Amino acid sequence: MIIVDTALRKRAGEGNPVRVGIVGAGYMGRGTALQILSAIEGMDLAAVSNRTLSEAARAYDQAGVDAVFAGSVQALESALAKGKRAYTDDALLLCRAEGIDVIIEATGEIEFGARVVLEALDHGKHVVLMN
């Protein structure tokens, strides 16, 4: 773990954190969001998506972090370019947006998760599966 911690610390020092998008804001997604937002140096939770929009916003609210709604790729990219965090109900926006390096798929839905993963890979994202 020391190698990963050192690399993340270096990225934090360079002002270039790993920008994470989480798809799914249930128990696992919100727990992961809280961990990234509060305890992991060198990572930033750029965006959260959930089919129920209020649950996507809740992931940030529970951590005491402000975020804005993004309803399109352009709106998401604009928010990220301004240093804001965003939430949406369209998971594929996270996969398509510049400014997100890694997609964490935490929906628990195998078929939907597979579509998200394929879209993320098509757009050059790294993928972490929680299923």
Side-chain angles (χ1 to χ4, degrees):
M1 205 48 186
I2 294 172
I3 295 170
V4 172
D5 293 344
T6 302
L8 287 172
R9 194 172 303 111
K10 180 179 177 192
R11 287 189 71 143
E14 294 169 347
N16 183 29
V18 176
R19 298 158 303 177
V20 178
I22 295 180
V23 176
Y27 179 79
M28 291 298 293
R30 286 193 325 273
T32 303
L34 183 59
Q35 187 73 13
I36 291 170
L37 289 166
S38 65
I40 300 180
E41 183 181 19
M43 283 185 155
D44 184 47
L45 182 58
V48 175
S49 74
N50 196 75
R51 65 183 174 183
T52 305
L53 193 57
S54 61
E55 290 299 302
R58 182 178 170 204
Y60 286 110
D61 291 341
Q62 286 184 326
V65 174
D66 291 328
V68 298
F69 170 73
S72 68
V73 172
Q74 295 80 13
L76 178 53
E77 289 175 343
S78 177
L80 298 178
K82 294 175 186 171
K84 297 179 180 178
R85 296 176 175 104
Y87 61 91
T88 185
D89 56 1
D90 186 346
L92 300 183
L93 298 183
L94 277 62
C95 300
R96 297 173 181 152
E98 293 294 321
I100 296 179
D101 303 313
V102 178
I103 300 294
I104 297 176
E105 198 291 316
T107 64
E109 296 291 329
I110 303 303
E111 182 181 348
F112 178 73
R115 282 189 275 145
V116 168
V117 167
L118 290 173
E119 189 74 14
L121 293 174
D122 282 346
H123 288 86
K125 310 286 187 217
H126 297 275
V127 176
V128 176
L129 299 173
M130 301 290 285
N131 292 334

